[in-house]
Amino acid sequence: MDYGLLVIGIALLLVSYLVAVKKQTWLLAGFNEKMIKNKSLLGTVTGGTFFLPLGLFVVFNSFIDYPYELTVLIIAMLLLLTIVYVFINRRLLD
């Protein structure tokens, strides 16, 4: 069991809750607030489509040890990030 991954996964789940449910979009760095059409949808998409699955995946991986674990985590993170990035650029930007 990797306690570092468990703590990171729990932190990602907490951020997911704050962004998706509580709409705390100030936690999201690197976007221009004036260009976003719907901040509520931004929080739902980012928290529910990126942080929640990534947090669950990291928590799951903290209990299981297998070869190339880091590679799988990085690929999953980049895949989720690409999906969210494309959706935000297509639907939420002016």
Side-chain angles (χ1 to χ4, degrees):
M1 180 172 194
D2 189 356
Y3 292 108
L5 277 179
L6 183 62
V7 170
I8 290 170
I10 292 172
L12 285 170
L13 292 175
L14 178 64
V15 170
S16 170
Y17 172 75
L18 290 173
V19 172
V21 177
K22 296 294 185 178
K23 306 300 182 211
Q24 300 292 322
T25 57
W26 61 270
L27 290 169
L28 304 173
F31 75 96
N32 188 355
E33 293 184 21
K34 296 174 186 171
M35 293 182 64
I36 298 294
K37 290 188 254 186
N38 188 349
K39 288 183 189 173
S40 176
L41 184 60
L42 173 70
T44 303
V45 167
T46 307
T49 308
F50 179 69
F51 288 116
L52 181 63
L54 186 61
L56 292 173
F57 191 63
V58 170
V59 167
F60 178 73
N61 277 315
S62 70
F63 293 110
I64 298 172
D65 189 28
Y66 56 92
Y68 305 111
E69 181 178 7
L70 182 62
T71 305
V72 171
L73 283 171
I74 290 173
I75 290 171
M77 180 182 64
L78 290 175
L79 182 66
L80 288 170
L81 186 63
T82 302
I83 291 168
V84 170
Y85 179 76
V86 168
F87 180 82
I88 288 172
N89 280 322
R90 302 258 179 186
R91 303 280 184 197
L92 295 178
L93 290 179
D94 284 332

